Amino acid sequence: MYRAQPERIGRLKQPWKGKINPFKIIDGVYFVGTYQASSHLLDTGDGLILFDTGYENTTYLVLNSIHQLGFDVKDIKYIVNTHWHGDHTEGTAPIADLSGAKTVIGRKDAEKAKQYFDPDIIVKDGDSITLGNVTVRFMETPGHTEGTISFLFEKEHDGKKYLVGSFGGAGANTLRKDTVEFDGAREMYLDSIARLKKCDVDVFLGNHCWNNDTERRYQEMVKTGKNTFIDKTAWTEFLDYCEDRVLKILQAEKNL
């Protein structure tokens, strides 16, 4: 059962309280983020791709997590930013500076992202990046922001291929009448969900840890030895939740 974003003010003011120990999700895919915002690392066999970097004041935690896993930040070749909001991009400039990585953002978020970093690669729907043995595909999924991008890639784990995916901007905090960032945002958000539902995702990476119950799934994996992240139902259940949440917002507005 998914729920609304939990209280996190204390962890924002004291970022160390949001520390989550890094761990392997499936072969080559790792969680390196914090409670405040998720970050994921992909080992392609010929360099690393980092997805989202979190807040500026948690950058040291992300870097430490990468180091704890035995990786070198200088091996990061691309930093993919799912949308321009600071909780996903404030750490991009310092990590890009340390690593020399190319920064990636969706075309309609590129201008706003410049307040946090200078984009090197601007992607549109259907674009992809290939590094080593992995091709990451991008979908434009506007709604949360106008230029939100979601990503998909195939990765082998224990001899079997799985489709890994992430909804790049699931939050409804920008979809209420008084917070909408651009015209048609709610309609585009619902259309993005409909498109994402057509993707047969096996491993769902949450944009925030509460999207896919990151901590609970990891604890269960440690306790039972079963990989709880390989779960076809998690993707569609979350998308259903996101859709229902926005429909309720729209209905509530009609009832005013």
Side-chain angles (χ1 to χ4, degrees):
M1 177 66 66
Y2 294 98
R3 55 190 172 86
Q5 175 177 317
E7 176 59 46
R8 56 183 177 139
I9 298 301
R11 301 200 202 190
L12 286 174
K13 291 182 178 179
Q14 297 175 306
W16 55 90
K17 289 186 176 180
K19 175 178 170 54
I20 296 176
N21 288 326
F23 62 90
K24 182 175 78 172
I25 296 173
I26 60 171
D27 291 344
V29 182
Y30 304 86
F31 181 86
V32 293
T34 65
Y35 173 86
Q36 292 91 326
S38 296
S39 297
H40 294 91
L41 193 69
L42 170 61
D43 181 4
T44 71
D46 192 26
L48 308 171
I49 299 176
L50 179 63
F51 298 95
D52 284 344
T53 57
Y55 287 101
E56 182 179 32
N57 68 359
T58 61
T59 302
Y60 76 99
L61 292 172
V62 174
L63 290 170
N64 187 58
S65 289
I66 292 169
H67 177 72
Q68 275 186 259
L69 290 169
F71 294 109
D72 188 336
V73 67
K74 292 182 180 179
D75 288 331
I76 300 174
K77 305 303 181 185
Y78 297 101
I79 300 173
V80 173
N81 302 269
T82 54
H83 59 280
W84 71 268
H85 289 161
D87 54 336
H88 299 275
T89 59
E90 284 183 2
T92 297
I95 295 177
D97 183 59
L98 284 171
S99 64
K102 299 292 185 182
T103 58
V104 181
I105 191 79
R107 62 190 177 100
K108 291 188 177 180
D109 269 8
E111 195 59 37
K112 288 184 176 179
K114 288 180 182 178
Q115 63 191 287
Y116 300 113
F117 67 95
D118 293 320
D120 295 307
I121 301 171
I122 296 171
V123 296
K124 63 182 184 304
D125 200 67
D127 283 351
S128 63
I129 288 174
T130 298
L131 183 67
N133 56 18
V134 184
T135 295
V136 179
R137 296 180 285 122
F138 300 108
M139 292 176 62
E140 290 183 280
T141 51
H144 184 58
T145 69
E146 192 171 10
T148 294
I149 53 171
S150 297
F151 61 84
L152 302 156
F153 59 86
E154 284 191 340
K155 199 74 179 74
E156 190 171 297
H157 176 76
D158 287 345
K160 183 178 179 180
K161 282 190 176 181
Y162 294 96
L163 182 62
V164 181
S166 183
F167 184 5
N173 56 314
T174 59
L175 297 173
R176 302 185 185 280
K177 191 174 182 179
D178 58 346
T179 61
V180 171
E181 289 191 0
F182 62 98
D183 290 340
R186 281 94 69 89
E187 293 78 10
M188 290 185 189
Y189 184 86
L190 292 171
D191 182 65
S192 294
I193 289 173
R195 292 178 63 222
L196 288 166
K197 282 185 177 182
K198 295 177 181 178
C199 303
D200 192 21
V201 169
D202 302 296
V203 180
F204 166 35
L205 304 182
N207 205 229
H208 285 281
C209 63
W210 49 86
N211 290 172
N212 67 336
D213 295 327
T214 301
E215 290 177 290
R216 178 187 63 78
R217 288 180 186 274
Y218 173 62
Q219 289 164 4
E220 286 186 9
M221 187 163 62
V222 171
K223 184 178 179 180
T224 66
K226 179 183 177 182
N227 194 316
T228 52
F229 287 92
I230 301 174
D231 178 3
K232 280 183 174 292
T233 66
W235 177 253
T236 52
E237 284 179 359
F238 182 67
L239 293 174
D240 285 344
Y241 163 78
C242 291
E243 180 180 43
D244 183 61
R245 180 178 53 183
V246 174
L247 291 174
K248 285 179 178 176
I249 290 172
L250 295 173
Q251 186 60 51
E253 288 178 7
K254 287 181 181 179
N255 293 337
L256 290 177

